[in-house]
Amino acid sequence: MAVASASLVISPRKLRSDVYSYSYENDSNTPLVISVLASLIERTMARNERIARNCRRALSKDSRSRVFDSHEIPDMAIQSYLERIFRYTKAGPSVYVVAYVYIDRFCQANPGFRIHATNVHRLLITTIMVASKYVEDLNYRNSYFARVGGLETNELNKLELDFLFLMGFKMHVNVSVFESYCCHLEREVSIGGGYHIERTLRCAEEIKSRQTEDRIFNHIARLTL
């Protein structure tokens, strides 16, 4: 992996090799797909943030699309959260590709759903756990995934059940679908000849900073009423 002074540079060839040739015995580094997925999610959140600012109706009131909403925004960047999940579950790169398929399917099946800071962590731990059950022969219990993801076991159990019903239990991912999503990730990586992760992470940090300022302002406003 080539590392620039302030950014992580990933080539499509390296990404494909990592997804298809990753070995638990020989590879102790975090799979490259995690950095690519984190950056894609961060960009999606940034886009949804812009849409929400320009059109308040973009935030759906449909309870089905708010199933992953949390009352508090976890104080952990997407990249760090995914790295934590990998560190404690050792879910292989293919699990994250399948989770990406599930996220895309979920968004298509539920048009009112938008990935944002209040739901992204719960969405990720749920889809990764379900994908791990689909891909891996051996898996940890839901209670373990819940501890890794910072949730109570009953919370994650409910999220998993709601997710499966909202997906219509369409969890099968055949080889051609898996390959098409790998190709999509490679196309994302190939922009500009390499993928510079830090740019989108900085954008996410700016959004998080604005959200913190908004919460402080709203709290002060309530106190002065």
Side-chain angles (χ1 to χ4, degrees), residues 14-152:
K14 287 180 181 177
L15 176 64
R16 175 168 287 267
S17 174
D18 197 57
V19 169
Y20 287 97
S21 306
Y22 190 89
S23 168
Y24 293 105
E25 291 82 10
N26 300 328
D27 294 316
S28 59
N29 294 326
T30 303
L32 299 178
V33 67
I34 286 179
S35 294
V36 179
L37 180 59
S39 191
L40 280 170
I41 294 293
E42 298 285 7
R43 281 198 289 162
T44 299
M45 290 170 58
R47 183 175 66 248
N48 290 339
E49 176 77 10
R50 291 194 299 270
I51 293 173
R53 285 201 305 268
N54 295 329
C55 181
R56 290 299 175 185
R57 288 178 296 178
L59 297 177
S60 174
K61 300 301 182 182
D62 186 349
S63 60
R64 293 176 301 174
S65 67
R66 304 178 71 86
V67 62
F68 292 103
D69 282 6
S70 173
H71 296 299
E72 296 183 1
I73 299 175
D75 188 22
M76 182 176 289
I78 304 305
Q79 174 85 18
S80 299
Y81 192 67
L82 290 175
E83 288 176 352
R84 172 182 170 81
I85 294 173
F86 170 75
R87 186 183 312 118
Y88 290 106
T89 67
K90 294 301 180 183
S94 57
V95 170
Y96 296 91
V97 176
V98 172
Y100 176 42
V101 176
Y102 289 166
I103 291 171
D104 190 42
R105 284 182 182 175
F106 184 81
C107 291
Q108 292 182 37
N110 301 274
F113 180 78
R114 296 289 184 273
I115 300 175
H116 49 79
T118 61
N119 62 30
V120 63
H121 295 83
R122 291 184 173 206
L123 176 67
L124 286 171
I125 190 64
T126 304
T127 53
I128 291 170
M129 183 182 72
V130 174
S132 180
K133 292 180 179 181
Y134 181 82
V135 174
E136 306 280 15
D137 294 325
L138 298 174
N139 278 284
Y140 290 105
R141 295 176 182 272
N142 282 24
S143 57
Y144 183 79
F145 272 98
R147 288 198 300 274
V148 171
L151 301 174
E152 297 292 335

Side-chain angles (χ1 to χ4, degrees), residues 12 15-16 36-37 40 43-44 97 100-101 104 177-191 195:
L15 176 64
R16 175 168 287 267
V36 179
L37 180 59
L40 280 170
R43 281 198 289 162
T44 299
V97 176
Y100 176 42
V101 176
D104 190 42
V177 170
F178 182 88
E179 177 68 17
S180 69
Y181 277 84
C182 285
C183 290
H184 176 71
L185 290 171
E186 289 173 13
R187 285 196 298 272
E188 292 292 328
V189 167
S190 65
I191 297 174
Y195 207 63

